[in-house]
């Protein structure tokens, strides 16, 4: 996660962005300073020429402001830096991960006034599949977010109608932390839900949110959970809780992680026996990630493989 | 900037370790960078002089790497950080002496201050039953291994006092990723410390979620006092922490308040009203190290 590009790359990326923007260094320094990240024109000039690069923690805020002023994708400049702070939070999602976002979703964000950089720190994202004994069940979404100054406290959550029952507005239940805003259906059927965070009295800067969506009764029983997070998150977790039937299950966890300046890397566990009624798979502190959790009541052979099993999650073959 | 502590063992240990190894701060920065850890010379200098202390989990990882680079025993630096956090707990809450209890419990269970597992997130759900007593809690912790495989962790929980004054510890019921090992009780403090044995060793970089319930029997609950408060705290850095209350339908308290603090006892922080949603109420906090969340509730109309 911390491989550093050559130092001159930061200066090249900054120089190209400044030239495209037609903004002067004096103007950029003024914008950044006014936004609460003071910097001088001389410092920017040094960075642009490659004679120095941002190293102090306070410089990170300046680079984030430069990205905003230059209308760059969040993280485009930050990913070149080596600053001793939780840098991964400021890196943009890798392009390969971003590519799964449909143009429709980009358009919805624009129409609903949600900028690419909403200035929220994403601490936790968990999706739990709860399967009940009577064949019913529901998905539980849990999020923890830290609100920064000037943040846009609204989120978009996309749900898959193949598994989620979302015909009625009352199907989606928010237990706490937000109210439901607009809903939009994408081509292909996926639903986009706007969640308006409860910012309380403005003092509570960290917000916890929990919501539930019922499983479709007419859909096959889920045998995997597939959780995407296209922004930097402290933790991304997929889990399933099963009724206590006494059956033995095995789990396999596959994660796709966007590491710094690298392609999405895939890590796959072996099939592991699972004790108890709940099962987790998680990744931590990554700019973008996908966690796929699979479970089965089949038993692995002596090679640790399950011959009869065909992976239910797309892209895992 | 923090005031320099008279007993700043971490700064002293770091100073000694650097001097013995004979490396300059820039050389340390380069070696950390080679391990994928970014930490500036100015930060190292501030730590060495006791002007600031590592708190964030990223900083703790840098300290763990420094133990290897400086060829000092495991826990020489990280243990000093944990001990400092406990001392802060004790200084801020001398009546409770929570920090020393943790130290004594760990010693008796044979656990060290340095368990090589980052806590990435911590969540506790508290169920309040029909008798308006806490019946059960569910604890979920997301762990990431640092450099040597971790097999066991300590966890401390509060028990219940019955009306006759007898103290009842809670039982831990594992749900995922752990089993219970030994435990030690501190009846006069109403606390017990438990050894949690991981189902599989947590190797460097591994991320795993552990989950367990803490319960008391219904018979025991019947004789306990009504506790209308709950703490969630950690002596180790936790970037994300959530405490959630679940009441009975149609029996919500008249008032719920919460206080949260990063580095000191939460009960010394400002209490704010918590807005209930249906039967739920939650409070979250970030970058907690030695602090935590305290929630209180009451059915009496103010």
């Amino acid at each position: 996660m911390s491989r550093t590009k050559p130092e001159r790359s930061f200066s090249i990326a900054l120089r190209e962005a400044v030239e495209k923007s037609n903004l002067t260094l004096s103007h950029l320094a003024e914008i950044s300073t006014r936004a609460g990240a003071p910097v001088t024109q001389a410092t920017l000039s040094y960075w642009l020429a490659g004679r120095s690069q941002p190293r102090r923690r306070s410089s990170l805020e300046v680079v984030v402001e430069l990205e905003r002023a230059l209308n760059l994708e969040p993280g485009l400049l930050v990913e070149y830096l080596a600053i001793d702070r939780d840098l991964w939070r400021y890196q943009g999602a890798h392009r390969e991960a971003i590519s799964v976002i449909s143009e429709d979703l980009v358009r919805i964000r624009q129409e609903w006034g949600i900028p690419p950089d909403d200035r929220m720190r994403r601490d936790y994202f968990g999706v739990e599949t709860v399967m009940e004994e009577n064949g019913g069940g529901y998905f539980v979404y849990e999020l923890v977010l830290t609100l920064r100054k000037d943040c846009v406290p609204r989120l978009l959550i996309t749900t898959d109608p193949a598994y989620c029952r979302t015909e009625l507005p009352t199907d989606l239940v928010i237990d706490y932390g937000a109210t439901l805003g607009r809903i939009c259906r994408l081509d292909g059927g996926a639903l986009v839900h706007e969640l308006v965070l409860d910012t309380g009295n403005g003092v509570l800067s960290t917000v916890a949110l929990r919501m539930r969506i019922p499983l479709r009764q007419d859909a096959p029983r889920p045998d995997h959970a597939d959780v995407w997070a296209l922004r930097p998150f402290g933790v991304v977790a997929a889990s399933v809780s099963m009724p206590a039937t006494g059956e033995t299950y095995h789990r396999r966890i596959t994660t796709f992680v966007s590491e710094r300046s690298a392609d999405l890397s895939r890590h796959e566990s072996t099939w592991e026996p699972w004790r108890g009624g709940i099962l987790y798979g998680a990744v931590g502190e990554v700019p973008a990630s996908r966690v796929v959790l699979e479970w089965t009541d089949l038993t692995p052979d002596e090679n640790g493989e399950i011959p009869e099993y065909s992976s239910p999650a797309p892209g895992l073959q | 900037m923090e005031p320099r502590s008279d007993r700043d063992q971490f700064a002293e240990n770091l100073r000694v370790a650097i001097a013995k190894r004979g490396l300059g701060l820039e050389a340390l920065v380069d070696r950390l960078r080679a391990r994928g850890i970014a930490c500036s010379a100015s930060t190292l200098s501030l730590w060495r002089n006791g002007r600031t202390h590592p708190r964030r989990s990223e900083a703790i990882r840098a300290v763990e790497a420094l133990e290897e680079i400086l060829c000092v025993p495991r826990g020489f630096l990280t243990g000093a950080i944990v001990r400092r956090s406990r001392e802060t707990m004790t200084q801020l809450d001398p009546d409770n002496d929570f920090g020393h209890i943790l130290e004594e419990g760990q010693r008796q269970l044979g656990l060290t201050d340095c368990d090589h597992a980052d806590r990435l997130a911590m969540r506790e759900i508290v169920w309040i039953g029909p008798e308006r007593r806490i019946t059960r809690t569910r604890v979920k912790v997301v762990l990431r291994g640092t450099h040597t495989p971790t097999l066991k962790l300590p966890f401390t929980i509060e028990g219940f006092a019955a009306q006759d004054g007898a103290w009842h510890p809670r039982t831990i019921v594992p749900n995922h990723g752990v089993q219970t090992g030994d435990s030690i009780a501190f009846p006069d403090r109403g606390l017990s410390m438990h050894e949690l044995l991981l189902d599989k060793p947590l190797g460097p970089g591994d991320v795993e979620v552990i989950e367990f319930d803490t319960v008391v029997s219904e018979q025991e609950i019947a004789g306990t006092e009504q506790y209308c408060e709950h703490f969630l705290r950690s002596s180790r850095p936790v970037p994300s922490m959530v405490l959630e209350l679940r009441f009975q339908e149609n029996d919500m308290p008249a008032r719920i308040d919460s206080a949260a603090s990063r580095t000191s006892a939460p009960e010394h922080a400002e209490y704010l009203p918590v807005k209930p949603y249906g039967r739920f109420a939650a409070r979250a906090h970030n970058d907690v190290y030695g602090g935590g969340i305290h929630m209180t509730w009451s059915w009496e109309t103010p």
Side-chain angles (χ1 to χ4, degrees):
Chain A
M1 195 156 85
S2 53
R3 277 186 290 128
T4 312
K5 289 184 176 179
E7 291 205 358
R8 68 187 194 89
S9 298
F10 172 77
S11 67
I12 291 170
L14 179 62
R15 197 182 315 141
E16 286 174 356
V18 172
E19 283 169 3
K20 274 185 193 166
S21 74
N22 290 325
L23 289 170
T24 64
L25 294 188
S26 160
H27 195 185
L28 278 171
E30 188 186 331
I31 292 171
S32 179
T33 302
R34 210 184 304 135
V39 67
T40 64
Q41 182 185 340
T43 299
L44 291 182
S45 175
Y46 268 64
W47 290 354
L48 209 72
R51 295 178 65 185
S52 68
Q53 77 159 345
R55 290 197 184 279
R56 292 177 184 277
R57 292 180 179 194
S58 55
S59 300
L60 184 57
E61 303 295 344
V62 176
V63 177
V64 170
E65 289 307 330
L66 289 178
E67 287 177 349
R68 284 158 63 85
L70 295 167
N71 204 21
L72 299 174
E73 194 178 296
L76 200 83
L77 295 177
V78 168
E79 73 170 359
Y80 291 100
L81 306 182
I83 297 176
D84 55 334
R85 186 158 158 179
D86 41 357
L87 195 63
W88 57 272
R89 290 192 200 282
Y90 296 88
Q91 292 175 340
H94 190 271
R95 287 176 194 283
E96 194 178 336
I98 283 286
S99 67
V100 303
I101 303 177
S102 74
E103 288 180 9
D104 282 347
L105 200 51
V106 174
R107 178 180 51 77
I108 290 168
R109 290 186 77 96
Q110 286 171 348
E111 286 179 6
W112 291 358
I114 302 174
D117 179 8
D118 55 23
R119 296 183 75 76
M120 286 192 289
R121 175 179 131 173
R122 286 155 164 81
D123 294 312
Y124 182 89
F125 178 36
V127 180
E128 180 182 4
T129 307
V130 180
M131 300 218 271
E132 296 171 328
E133 213 156 337
N134 60 8
Y138 51 93
F139 296 109
V140 180
Y141 289 72
E142 290 176 332
L143 284 132
V144 182
L145 304 128
T146 296
L147 312 178
R148 291 197 182 97
K149 191 185 169 201
D150 301 329
C151 73
V152 180
R154 287 182 287 150
L155 281 179
L156 297 185
I157 295 273
T158 307
T159 57
D160 184 351
Y163 289 99
C164 300
R165 193 182 77 212
T166 49
E167 282 81 9
L168 300 172
T170 51
D171 283 337
L172 191 149
V173 177
I174 297 179
D175 288 328
Y176 54 81
T179 51
L180 185 60
R182 290 162 280 196
I183 300 176
C184 180
R185 189 178 296 276
L186 299 178
D187 289 344
L191 281 175
V192 181
H193 310 266
E194 181 190 36
L195 302 176
V196 182
L197 300 179
D198 178 7
T199 55
N201 51 15
V203 180
L204 305 177
S205 65
T206 306
V207 174
L209 183 162
R210 185 180 194 269
M211 65 178 225
R212 287 172 286 151
I213 304 177
L215 294 174
R216 287 180 72 102
Q217 291 278 20
D218 56 349
R221 292 289 275 172
D223 50 9
H224 72 283
D226 194 352
V227 180
W228 289 81
L230 302 175
R231 301 270 165 191
F233 266 94
V235 173
V236 177
S239 62
V240 57
S241 76
M242 306 279 282
T245 59
E247 283 188 81
T248 302
Y249 286 84
H250 283 75
R251 74 168 184 178
R252 182 169 67 178
I253 303 163
T254 308
T255 58
F256 297 84
V257 173
S258 163
E259 296 185 347
R260 192 172 188 198
S261 307
D263 293 336
L264 283 177
S265 57
R266 172 177 170 160
H267 308 270
E268 183 177 300
S269 76
T270 54
W271 285 103
E272 301 167 318
W274 159 27
R275 185 179 54 79
I278 188 158
L279 168 65
Y280 282 97
V283 293
E285 298 184 347
V286 284
S289 55
R290 177 188 179 197
V291 179
V292 182
L293 178 64
E294 298 169 277
W295 57 90
T296 177
D297 55 1
L298 301 171
T299 306
D301 60 20
E302 64 276 10
N303 300 319
E305 301 292 329
I306 299 181
E308 313 97 300
Y309 184 82
S310 65
S311 177
L316 291 196
Q317 297 293 6
Chain B
M1 293 281 175
E2 299 169 39
R4 181 167 179 162
S5 160
D6 290 338
R7 298 182 60 194
D8 197 342
Q9 196 64 53
F10 170 74
E12 182 63 17
N13 287 6
L14 182 61
R15 191 186 63 72
V16 168
I18 291 174
K20 271 193 170 179
R21 191 81 170 91
L23 286 171
L25 295 187
E26 287 297 343
L28 287 175
V29 169
D30 288 343
R31 298 207 182 182
L32 285 168
R33 189 171 292 157
R35 290 162 188 258
I37 296 168
C39 184
S40 70
S42 59
T43 298
L44 291 176
S45 173
L46 290 167
W47 289 351
R48 187 174 59 176
N49 294 326
R51 303 286 299 278
T52 63
H53 297 88
R55 282 208 181 120
R56 293 167 179 268
S57 53
E58 288 85 355
I60 303 299
R61 277 199 291 283
V63 175
E64 288 165 345
L66 281 173
E67 287 181 345
E68 287 187 346
I69 295 165
L70 296 169
C71 299
V72 293
R74 291 267 176 261
F76 186 69
L77 300 175
T78 48
I81 300 173
V82 174
R83 282 192 292 279
R84 184 175 185 279
S85 165
R86 283 200 305 251
E87 281 166 12
T88 306
M89 282 180 174
T90 302
Q91 285 162 10
L92 289 164
D93 193 4
D95 295 338
N96 199 348
D97 201 11
F98 191 63
H100 285 152
I101 291 172
L102 291 181
E103 194 168 358
E104 179 60 19
Q106 283 189 190
R107 192 187 62 75
Q108 292 193 31
L109 290 175
L111 298 168
T112 65
D113 287 326
C114 179
D115 56 24
H116 306 302
D118 286 340
R119 279 71 167 164
L120 297 182
M122 215 170 157
R123 187 182 201 99
E124 186 166 12
I125 302 168
V126 180
W127 279 270
I128 293 95
E131 302 296 322
R132 295 183 172 178
R133 291 184 170 87
I134 296 172
T135 55
R136 186 163 57 107
T137 83
R138 176 161 295 171
V139 180
K140 183 161 72 179
V141 186
V142 185
L143 301 167
R144 179 175 50 199
T146 55
H147 39 219
T148 48
T150 297
L151 294 165
K152 52 189 181 181
L153 306 166
F155 195 82
T156 307
I157 50 178
E158 292 184 19
F160 284 86
Q163 284 166 343
D164 61 3
W167 177 76
H168 298 274
R170 290 167 184 268
T171 306
I172 288 188
V173 179
N175 292 331
H176 183 265
V178 282
Q179 300 186 56
T180 49
D182 292 338
S183 66
I184 180 165
F186 298 93
D188 52 331
R189 307 300 175 95
L191 295 170
S192 56
M193 180 180 275
H194 299 256
E195 184 184 45
L196 301 176
L197 309 172
L198 300 183
D199 280 353
K200 63 172 192 176
L202 189 70
D206 291 350
V207 177
E208 189 57 271
V209 184
I210 60 169
E211 187 190 290
F212 54 90
D213 288 359
T214 73
V215 294
V216 285
S217 74
E218 281 186 26
Q219 191 183 0
E220 286 170 333
I221 291 172
T224 60
E225 289 178 12
Q226 245 186 39
Y227 286 93
C228 295
E229 63 171 341
H230 196 78
F231 284 97
L232 175 61
R233 49 188 169 193
S234 174
S235 61
R236 286 164 168 81
V238 183
S240 169
M241 187 180 264
V242 178
L243 179 56
E244 175 187 318
L245 307 177
R246 294 190 188 178
F247 295 92
Q248 297 292 298
E249 298 280 1
N250 306 318
D251 190 25
M252 288 301 287
R255 185 179 178 87
I256 306 170
D257 293 289
S258 73
S261 169
R262 290 202 168 93
T263 55
S264 58
E267 57 270 37
H268 298 299
E270 183 189 4
Y271 282 82
L272 297 168
V274 178
K275 177 182 166 187
Y277 285 80
R279 65 188 186 95
F280 296 92
R283 176 79 197 261
H285 206 41
N286 64 16
D287 297 328
V288 173
Y289 187 9
I293 301 172
H294 183 213
M295 292 183 81
T296 65
W297 54 95
S298 168
W299 278 269
E300 290 177 16
T301 310

